[in-house]
């Protein structure tokens, strides 16, 4: 109710967007931003909202619970600080994960903003408002990573007091293959180890970065694991029966469509979206055919892995034939 009331007549200006997301109790931990901008004026939601979000949040989950209560029944879940969850002894033996600590320290170190610019500033990516704009005939720019970082630094992150909605916020959201320079830094988290979870991963990684109020619109497909390395995101999730596939930039959906959706009576075919905030180090599991939209709350860097979940007696070939 607090969230909806902040939208007034359903078309709020920029000044009404920031109160939408209220503040959680202060976290006593030092936040390592990795040199990325953290927008303290875009907050993460009330405790009441978190309890009503519908997305379970787990700390250090057991493998069986993750498989049978979430993956097998295709239910979304947020694994808090999941990238830091150490593999158990069986996982170490099966997948040789003795270098677990070094692996994630290396990934976090390489994704720090100054290091990323220094080592990969000349690498080229698509700057776009919607992922894969080129596939839909939408405009995009081919830019170096250094040029994109210059774009980030040019944005005005200060609160606005007028009724002007924020300008379009572009992101990078791009598939990486094994030959790409950034590819080696992105791993399947041990909590989703494919040897234990009976999943088959593609060899491609989707890597992303962008500013506050950038994001990804509602889309659906295979199951995904989204790993947040730096920065926070607010997610909106819809089940398959109500799934949407949109090319409208995420923050425009939040301003234009979200109030209308929340004003409708909730039903099985028109449910209100589940919501959850993903912090750095968190892993979000989104099942196949669930529709997911994300709003960046800070400058963000992270990656996604698409995969299929199969019963233990299925080989990859069996699953593909099915």
């Amino acid at each position: 109710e607090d969230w909806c009331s902040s939208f007034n007549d359903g078309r709020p200006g920029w000044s009404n967007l920031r109160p939408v997301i209220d503040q959680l109790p202060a976290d006593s931990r030092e936040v390592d931003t990795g040199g990325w901008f953290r927008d303290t004026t875009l907050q993460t939601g009330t405790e009441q909202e978190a309890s009503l979000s519908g997305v379970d949040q787990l700390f250090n989950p057991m493998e069986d619970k993750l498989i049978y209560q979430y993956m097998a029944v295709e239910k979304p879940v947020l694994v808090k600080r999941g990238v830091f969850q150490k593999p158990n002894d069986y996982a170490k033996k099966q997948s040789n994960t003795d270098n677990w600590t070094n692996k994630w320290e290396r990934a976090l170190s390489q994704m720090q903003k100054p290091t990323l610019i220094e080592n990969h500033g000349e690498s080229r990516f698509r700057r776009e408002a919607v992922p894969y704009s080129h596939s839909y005939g939408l405009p995009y720019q081919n830019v170096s990573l250094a040029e994109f970082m210059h774009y980030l630094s040019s944005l005005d992150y200060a609160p606005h007091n007028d009724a002007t909605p924020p300008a379009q916020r572009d992101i990078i959201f791009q598939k990486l293959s094994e030959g790409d320079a950034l590819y080696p830094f992105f791993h399947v988290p041990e909590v989703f180890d494919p040897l234990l979870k009976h999943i088959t991963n593609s060899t491609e990684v989707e890597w992303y970065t962008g500013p506050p109020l950038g994001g990804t619109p509602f889309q659906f497909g295979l199951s995904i694991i989204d790993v947040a390395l730096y920065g926070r995101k607010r997610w909106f999730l819809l089940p398959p029966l109500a799934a949407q596939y949109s090319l409208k930039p995420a923050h425009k959906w939040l301003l234009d469509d979200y109030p209308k959706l929340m004003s409708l009576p909730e039903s099985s075919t028109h449910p209100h979206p589940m919501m959850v905030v993903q912090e750095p180090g968190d892993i979000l599991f989104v099942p196949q055919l669930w529709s997911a939209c994300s709003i960046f709350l800070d400058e963000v860097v992270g990656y996604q892995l698409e995969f299929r979940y199969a019963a233990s007696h299925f080989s990859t070939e069996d699953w593909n034939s099915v």
Side-chain angles (χ1 to χ4, degrees):
E1 290 176 355
D2 291 339
W3 180 288
C4 293
S5 65
S6 68
F7 284 91
N8 298 332
D9 64 352
R11 289 192 57 83
W14 176 224
S15 59
N16 289 326
L17 181 58
R18 290 181 180 271
V20 163
I21 307 170
D22 296 326
Q23 187 172 16
L24 276 170
D27 194 334
S28 59
R29 281 185 290 113
E30 270 304 301
V31 177
D32 179 8
T33 65
W36 301 89
F37 175 75
R38 184 175 177 88
D39 192 340
T40 57
T41 64
L42 282 174
Q43 304 297 348
T44 59
T46 63
E47 287 186 275
Q48 181 184 21
E49 179 187 316
S51 67
L52 298 175
S53 71
V55 179
D56 290 349
Q57 302 182 34
L58 305 181
F59 291 84
N60 199 28
M62 299 293 291
E63 265 100 19
D64 287 353
K65 182 174 184 178
L66 199 54
I67 291 174
Y68 298 121
Q69 295 187 21
Y70 298 96
M71 298 176 68
V73 296
E74 299 185 341
K75 181 180 178 181
V77 64
L78 184 74
V79 181
K80 297 296 293 180
R81 310 287 286 172
V83 301
F84 305 109
Q85 181 172 329
K86 295 182 179 180
N88 60 28
D89 292 338
Y90 176 75
K92 289 179 181 178
K93 184 183 297 183
Q94 295 295 315
S95 55
N96 191 24
T97 53
D98 291 334
N99 64 343
W100 171 84
T101 302
N102 292 337
K103 182 170 65 176
W104 285 106
E105 285 181 351
R106 181 167 174 257
L108 291 168
S109 173
Q110 290 296 317
M111 289 303 109
Q112 291 184 355
K113 193 175 185 179
T115 306
L116 198 58
I117 295 172
E118 180 181 354
N119 294 341
H120 305 281
E122 298 306 311
S123 299
R124 302 196 72 80
F125 300 93
R126 289 185 305 273
R127 171 185 158 182
E128 50 200 355
V130 174
Y132 306 115
S133 293
H134 64 292
S135 300
Y136 306 107
L138 300 176
Y140 70 94
Q141 300 178 46
N142 195 310
V143 299
S144 69
L145 186 58
E147 289 171 333
F148 185 77
M149 295 304 173
H150 179 73
Y151 157 71
L152 292 186
S153 66
S154 71
L155 292 173
D156 179 12
Y157 294 147
H160 291 218
N161 295 319
D162 54 40
T164 304
Q168 176 176 299
R169 297 286 174 89
D170 291 343
I171 65 171
I172 291 173
F173 190 99
Q174 196 155 322
K175 284 187 178 180
L176 304 176
S177 56
E178 292 187 35
D180 291 317
L182 289 176
Y183 182 86
F185 305 122
F186 304 127
H187 311 278
V188 180
E190 273 69 21
V191 69
F192 284 96
D193 188 308
L195 291 175
L196 304 179
K197 300 298 186 296
H198 315 299
I199 63 180
T200 55
N201 276 60
S202 68
T203 58
E204 292 180 329
V205 171
E206 292 176 309
W207 174 77
Y208 58 82
T209 184
L213 295 182
T216 57
F218 274 113
Q219 296 185 353
F220 57 85
L222 295 177
S223 299
I224 66 166
I225 301 167
D226 187 283
V227 182
L229 296 176
Y230 292 107
R232 302 165 300 161
K233 290 185 294 180
R234 175 177 286 281
W235 287 89
F236 302 85
L237 304 176
L238 289 169
L241 283 176
Q244 300 179 16
Y245 201 100
S246 174
L247 298 180
K248 177 180 282 191
H251 82 273
K252 289 186 177 179
W253 171 84
L254 182 65
L255 289 171
D256 298 339
D257 300 342
Y258 176 78
K260 300 173 186 175
L261 180 62
M262 296 300 287
S263 68
L264 297 173
E266 189 170 19
S267 68
S268 59
T269 54
H270 294 90
H272 293 167
M274 297 179 177
M275 293 178 288
V276 71
V277 171
Q278 183 184 25
E279 302 273 354
D282 293 352
I283 304 170
L284 180 67
F285 165 63
V286 181
Q288 62 181 347
L289 300 183
W290 278 70
S291 191
C293 168
S294 67
I295 303 282
F296 298 173
L297 304 180
D298 306 309
E299 287 185 349
V300 163
V301 62
Y303 64 98
Q304 290 184 2
L305 300 166
E306 287 187 339
F307 68 93
R308 295 181 175 90
Y309 176 80
S312 59
H313 62 278
F314 278 1
S315 66
T316 303
E317 291 77 15
D318 291 333
W319 176 259
N320 288 336
S321 67
V322 170

